[in-house]
Amino acid sequence: MVEQNQIIQSKIQQLHDTLGVDFVGMALATTNEKTYRKEIRWKYVSGNISLRYQKIVLQEGRGLPGIVWRTGRTLIEADLEQRTAEELLEYPIALTEELKSVGVVPVFFYGDIVAILLIGYRQPNRVTLEVVQQLTEETASVAVLIQEKKEAKS
C-alpha cells in the first residue's frame, strides 16, 4: 500500500515538473462513516506552500473538485482574482495555495470518476487550453494507478 502511494505521488511530481505549473493536486472521494456522505479530500500534491490542504474536506458539488466531480467536465478558471471574496471561499484550495489560475479535470476509470486533478499557477491568466489538454491526456495513466491501489487494498 505504501509503495502504491509513493508511485502515485511520483506521478503527481512528474506532472508538476513536466507541465511546468506551480501546483498539482489530486483529490479523491471517500464515504464518511458517520454520515454516509461523499467527502472529497486532497490526497496527493506537489508544489504546495503549506500542509493546510490536508484539512480541506469538500462535498460533491462544492469547491473546484466538487463541481468537476458532479459535472464530469473540465473546469478552467483563468483569473481567480476576478472572483469576489465570498466566491473564493468556495475554492479553499485556491486560497490555501494562493492560486490565481487553475485547470481542473476529472479522472475516469470505465466511465466512473475516480479522482480529480488540479493544476494551478500563482499568477492570473497562466492556465492554457494546451496545458489542460496535456493534463487530460495523463488521466488514463493516473486512473490505472488509482485502480491498482484499490486492488492492492482488497
Side-chain angles (χ1 to χ4, degrees), residues 134-147:
Q134 287 177 308
L135 181 65
T136 302
E137 290 169 4
E138 293 291 334
T139 60
S141 63
V142 171
V144 169
L145 292 174
I146 294 167
Q147 190 60 30

Side-chain angles (χ1 to χ4, degrees), residues 106-126:
V107 177
F108 290 96
F109 189 78
Y110 289 107
D112 293 326
I113 297 176
V114 295
I116 300 296
L117 285 172
L118 177 141
I119 55 169
Y121 293 95
R122 294 190 175 93
Q123 302 87 32
N125 300 311
R126 291 282 313 273

